[in-house]
Amino acid sequence: MIEPAKEIDLDCLHLDVRNPRFGLLKAQDEGEALAILIDAANIKELWASIAARGFERFEPLIAIADEETPGHYIVIEGNRRLAACKTLSDPDSLGARRIKLPVLREEVRRQISTLPVVVVANREEAEAYIGFKHVNGPQTWDSLAKARFGVHMLENVDDHRPLRERMLELTQKLGDSRGMLLRVFVAFKIYEQAILEGIVESISINNQKLEFSHLYTMLNNPPSREFIGLPITALSEESVVDNPVPMTHLDNLRDLFGWLFGPTSVIKRQGSDRPRLQKVMASREGIEALRSSNDLDYAFATAGLARDDWTEQTHRCAAIAKNIDADALEVLEGMDEEEVSQTRATLARAKLYLDSVLAKMGPGSG
């Protein structure tokens, strides 16, 4: 049972260095956490809002007792608002940063000397609330923060239920399928490993602009899993482990991270390039071509995939044309003259393209 909010002195409230909002930028202390929020969480708009209208008290912070300091609390929900209030109240906390803070009216300064806080017994007690609000509610986190939150819940050492049962609960709380969550969680573990092994730093990956979805989408593809040493069989709860990529495949992991996230990433068009990269990674010739050129188009063609893709499109074209022909009489009955004219023009253009292809194929190909 969550208790009603109470007012707590600002000086007794502390930032949470384990806050998933930080992604993998794990702060070592509160000062570092504050610096991360200032740099990454865009609290400038909060400074202006609080200075102009005061602190909106309808939504309290969520905190747990600080076990090391009686009477003090660690805020696990609302760190961005807490950071804004702390810096407005004490501009010296900005350190050497040359940031001009708005001037506070004395009324507002007194108002933020205490903040409304709901104190809970532990982190787990607040997880259902946090999960709704930030994972599928109105104030969403990015996918990397969601992944960290979900993995923390799955690995909760105080929860002695079977992993499959915990995962089922997570699918209900987070609103995603089991398969989707498994890919996200394993991808998170892989990303942690890439940081630990220095891959992220060596490739100069920008954590703040990371397209984390690239990684967990790749894990849906068995050849992509095999490329980094994961089993080609379906992922399971037991796949969510520390350092899932074998040491023998770290070079492949480095290649994959470069192709997905590096300064010369081959992913330019998300809808088409990720599937093409998956196909290339299923081909030894394609992988070698991509390694030597970092050119996805060249690797795709070298592996013969451009030819296969083109041939597949011709089969789809024929199937679509067959369906259009089968439905023509029924659909045409309900179309007016202008719609029929537009459709005729569209089909005429399509015929021109197909005639051009047949011509390029030479005599006897029709």
PDB file of all heavy atoms in Angstrom, residues 34 38 47 87 90-101:
ATOM      1  N   LEU A  34      23.956  14.327 -11.081  1.00  0.00           N
ATOM      2  CA  LEU A  34      23.460  15.654 -11.402  1.00  0.00           C
ATOM      3  C   LEU A  34      24.069  16.145 -12.718  1.00  0.00           C
ATOM      4  O   LEU A  34      23.374  16.714 -13.566  1.00  0.00           O
ATOM      5  CB  LEU A  34      23.792  16.626 -10.269  1.00  0.00           C
ATOM      6  CG  LEU A  34      23.296  18.068 -10.452  1.00  0.00           C
ATOM      7  CD1 LEU A  34      21.777  18.101 -10.537  1.00  0.00           C
ATOM      8  CD2 LEU A  34      23.776  18.934  -9.293  1.00  0.00           C
ATOM      9  N   ILE A  38      22.044  17.189 -16.164  1.00  0.00           N
ATOM     10  CA  ILE A  38      22.191  18.511 -16.771  1.00  0.00           C
ATOM     11  C   ILE A  38      22.590  18.376 -18.241  1.00  0.00           C
ATOM     12  O   ILE A  38      22.081  19.102 -19.107  1.00  0.00           O
ATOM     13  CB  ILE A  38      23.234  19.351 -16.003  1.00  0.00           C
ATOM     14  CG1 ILE A  38      22.701  19.677 -14.602  1.00  0.00           C
ATOM     15  CG2 ILE A  38      23.580  20.627 -16.754  1.00  0.00           C
ATOM     16  CD1 ILE A  38      23.736  20.306 -13.700  1.00  0.00           C
ATOM     17  N   TRP A  47      13.634  24.442 -15.564  1.00  0.00           N
ATOM     18  CA  TRP A  47      14.066  25.658 -14.871  1.00  0.00           C
ATOM     19  C   TRP A  47      13.112  26.810 -15.185  1.00  0.00           C
ATOM     20  O   TRP A  47      12.647  27.503 -14.285  1.00  0.00           O
ATOM     21  CB  TRP A  47      15.484  26.035 -15.311  1.00  0.00           C
ATOM     22  CG  TRP A  47      16.565  25.178 -14.767  1.00  0.00           C
ATOM     23  CD1 TRP A  47      16.562  24.472 -13.607  1.00  0.00           C
ATOM     24  CD2 TRP A  47      17.835  24.926 -15.378  1.00  0.00           C
ATOM     25  NE1 TRP A  47      17.745  23.797 -13.442  1.00  0.00           N
ATOM     26  CE2 TRP A  47      18.546  24.044 -14.506  1.00  0.00           C
ATOM     27  CE3 TRP A  47      18.452  25.328 -16.555  1.00  0.00           C
ATOM     28  CZ2 TRP A  47      19.838  23.606 -14.792  1.00  0.00           C
ATOM     29  CZ3 TRP A  47      19.731  24.888 -16.849  1.00  0.00           C
ATOM     30  CH2 TRP A  47      20.419  24.035 -15.974  1.00  0.00           C
ATOM     31  N   THR A  87      19.412  22.607  -8.536  1.00  0.00           N
ATOM     32  CA  THR A  87      20.267  23.580  -9.209  1.00  0.00           C
ATOM     33  C   THR A  87      19.706  24.991  -9.109  1.00  0.00           C
ATOM     34  O   THR A  87      20.456  25.955  -8.983  1.00  0.00           O
ATOM     35  CB  THR A  87      20.459  23.192 -10.688  1.00  0.00           C
ATOM     36  OG1 THR A  87      19.190  22.856 -11.274  1.00  0.00           O
ATOM     37  CG2 THR A  87      21.392  21.994 -10.812  1.00  0.00           C
ATOM     38  N   ASP A  90      20.458  26.035  -5.530  1.00  0.00           N
ATOM     39  CA  ASP A  90      21.893  26.197  -5.268  1.00  0.00           C
ATOM     40  C   ASP A  90      22.651  26.228  -6.591  1.00  0.00           C
ATOM     41  O   ASP A  90      23.158  25.202  -7.053  1.00  0.00           O
ATOM     42  CB  ASP A  90      22.393  25.034  -4.400  1.00  0.00           C
ATOM     43  CG  ASP A  90      23.891  25.130  -4.121  1.00  0.00           C
ATOM     44  OD1 ASP A  90      24.460  26.228  -4.305  1.00  0.00           O
ATOM     45  OD2 ASP A  90      24.475  24.100  -3.728  1.00  0.00           O
ATOM     46  N   PRO A  91      22.751  27.384  -7.247  1.00  0.00           N
ATOM     47  CA  PRO A  91      23.440  27.492  -8.541  1.00  0.00           C
ATOM     48  C   PRO A  91      24.887  27.002  -8.502  1.00  0.00           C
ATOM     49  O   PRO A  91      25.425  26.597  -9.531  1.00  0.00           O
ATOM     50  CB  PRO A  91      23.366  28.988  -8.858  1.00  0.00           C
ATOM     51  CG  PRO A  91      22.167  29.474  -8.104  1.00  0.00           C
ATOM     52  CD  PRO A  91      22.157  28.674  -6.842  1.00  0.00           C
ATOM     53  N   ASP A  92      25.513  27.016  -7.326  1.00  0.00           N
ATOM     54  CA  ASP A  92      26.896  26.538  -7.231  1.00  0.00           C
ATOM     55  C   ASP A  92      27.012  25.051  -7.571  1.00  0.00           C
ATOM     56  O   ASP A  92      28.099  24.561  -7.896  1.00  0.00           O
ATOM     57  CB  ASP A  92      27.462  26.780  -5.824  1.00  0.00           C
ATOM     58  CG  ASP A  92      27.694  28.260  -5.553  1.00  0.00           C
ATOM     59  OD1 ASP A  92      27.772  29.040  -6.529  1.00  0.00           O
ATOM     60  OD2 ASP A  92      27.780  28.638  -4.372  1.00  0.00           O
ATOM     61  N   SER A  93      25.887  24.327  -7.488  1.00  0.00           N
ATOM     62  CA  SER A  93      25.913  22.897  -7.807  1.00  0.00           C
ATOM     63  C   SER A  93      26.176  22.645  -9.284  1.00  0.00           C
ATOM     64  O   SER A  93      26.480  21.517  -9.682  1.00  0.00           O
ATOM     65  CB  SER A  93      24.583  22.236  -7.408  1.00  0.00           C
ATOM     66  OG  SER A  93      23.502  22.796  -8.135  1.00  0.00           O
ATOM     67  N   LEU A  94      26.108  23.706 -10.103  1.00  0.00           N
ATOM     68  CA  LEU A  94      26.412  23.564 -11.522  1.00  0.00           C
ATOM     69  C   LEU A  94      27.905  23.446 -11.777  1.00  0.00           C
ATOM     70  O   LEU A  94      28.332  23.115 -12.876  1.00  0.00           O
ATOM     71  CB  LEU A  94      25.863  24.760 -12.310  1.00  0.00           C
ATOM     72  CG  LEU A  94      24.334  24.863 -12.403  1.00  0.00           C
ATOM     73  CD1 LEU A  94      23.939  26.187 -13.017  1.00  0.00           C
ATOM     74  CD2 LEU A  94      23.778  23.708 -13.215  1.00  0.00           C
ATOM     75  N   GLY A  95      28.712  23.734 -10.764  1.00  0.00           N
ATOM     76  CA  GLY A  95      30.161  23.647 -10.919  1.00  0.00           C
ATOM     77  C   GLY A  95      30.676  24.700 -11.882  1.00  0.00           C
ATOM     78  O   GLY A  95      30.268  25.873 -11.834  1.00  0.00           O
ATOM     79  N   ALA A  96      31.550  24.279 -12.781  1.00  0.00           N
ATOM     80  CA  ALA A  96      32.184  25.219 -13.703  1.00  0.00           C
ATOM     81  C   ALA A  96      31.334  25.506 -14.936  1.00  0.00           C
ATOM     82  O   ALA A  96      31.748  26.290 -15.798  1.00  0.00           O
ATOM     83  CB  ALA A  96      33.546  24.674 -14.131  1.00  0.00           C
ATOM     84  N   ARG A  97      30.166  24.887 -15.044  1.00  0.00           N
ATOM     85  CA  ARG A  97      29.330  25.118 -16.229  1.00  0.00           C
ATOM     86  C   ARG A  97      28.861  26.561 -16.294  1.00  0.00           C
ATOM     87  O   ARG A  97      28.370  27.106 -15.311  1.00  0.00           O
ATOM     88  CB  ARG A  97      28.106  24.190 -16.199  1.00  0.00           C
ATOM     89  CG  ARG A  97      28.439  22.745 -16.443  1.00  0.00           C
ATOM     90  CD  ARG A  97      27.185  21.887 -16.305  1.00  0.00           C
ATOM     91  NE  ARG A  97      27.439  20.516 -16.683  1.00  0.00           N
ATOM     92  CZ  ARG A  97      28.053  19.642 -15.906  1.00  0.00           C
ATOM     93  NH1 ARG A  97      28.466  20.006 -14.701  1.00  0.00           N
ATOM     94  NH2 ARG A  97      28.258  18.416 -16.319  1.00  0.00           N
ATOM     95  N   ARG A  98      28.988  27.138 -17.448  1.00  0.00           N
ATOM     96  CA  ARG A  98      28.538  28.522 -17.643  1.00  0.00           C
ATOM     97  C   ARG A  98      27.103  28.513 -18.130  1.00  0.00           C
ATOM     98  O   ARG A  98      26.816  28.642 -19.321  1.00  0.00           O
ATOM     99  CB  ARG A  98      29.451  29.225 -18.650  1.00  0.00           C
ATOM    100  CG  ARG A  98      30.891  29.383 -18.151  1.00  0.00           C
ATOM    101  CD  ARG A  98      31.722  30.154 -19.149  1.00  0.00           C
ATOM    102  NE  ARG A  98      33.085  30.362 -18.646  1.00  0.00           N
ATOM    103  CZ  ARG A  98      34.031  31.013 -19.324  1.00  0.00           C
ATOM    104  NH1 ARG A  98      33.758  31.519 -20.516  1.00  0.00           N
ATOM    105  NH2 ARG A  98      35.230  31.148 -18.814  1.00  0.00           N
ATOM    106  N   ILE A  99      26.201  28.318 -17.187  1.00  0.00           N
ATOM    107  CA  ILE A  99      24.773  28.274 -17.494  1.00  0.00           C
ATOM    108  C   ILE A  99      24.079  29.373 -16.704  1.00  0.00           C
ATOM    109  O   ILE A  99      24.251  29.475 -15.479  1.00  0.00           O
ATOM    110  CB  ILE A  99      24.168  26.903 -17.124  1.00  0.00           C
ATOM    111  CG1 ILE A  99      24.875  25.789 -17.906  1.00  0.00           C
ATOM    112  CG2 ILE A  99      22.673  26.891 -17.423  1.00  0.00           C
ATOM    113  CD1 ILE A  99      24.398  24.399 -17.526  1.00  0.00           C
ATOM    114  N   LYS A 100      23.309  30.177 -17.397  1.00  0.00           N
ATOM    115  CA  LYS A 100      22.577  31.247 -16.726  1.00  0.00           C
ATOM    116  C   LYS A 100      21.206  30.731 -16.309  1.00  0.00           C
ATOM    117  O   LYS A 100      20.363  30.414 -17.141  1.00  0.00           O
ATOM    118  CB  LYS A 100      22.425  32.456 -17.653  1.00  0.00           C
ATOM    119  CG  LYS A 100      21.775  33.648 -16.971  1.00  0.00           C
ATOM    120  CD  LYS A 100      21.715  34.852 -17.892  1.00  0.00           C
ATOM    121  CE  LYS A 100      21.090  36.042 -17.177  1.00  0.00           C
ATOM    122  NZ  LYS A 100      21.016  37.227 -18.081  1.00  0.00           N
ATOM    123  N   LEU A 101      21.018  30.630 -15.005  1.00  0.00           N
ATOM    124  CA  LEU A 101      19.743  30.159 -14.475  1.00  0.00           C
ATOM    125  C   LEU A 101      18.754  31.309 -14.356  1.00  0.00           C
ATOM    126  O   LEU A 101      19.154  32.461 -14.127  1.00  0.00           O
ATOM    127  CB  LEU A 101      19.939  29.522 -13.100  1.00  0.00           C
ATOM    128  CG  LEU A 101      20.767  28.236 -13.040  1.00  0.00           C
ATOM    129  CD1 LEU A 101      20.978  27.832 -11.593  1.00  0.00           C
ATOM    130  CD2 LEU A 101      20.106  27.130 -13.815  1.00  0.00           C
TER     131      LEU A 101
END
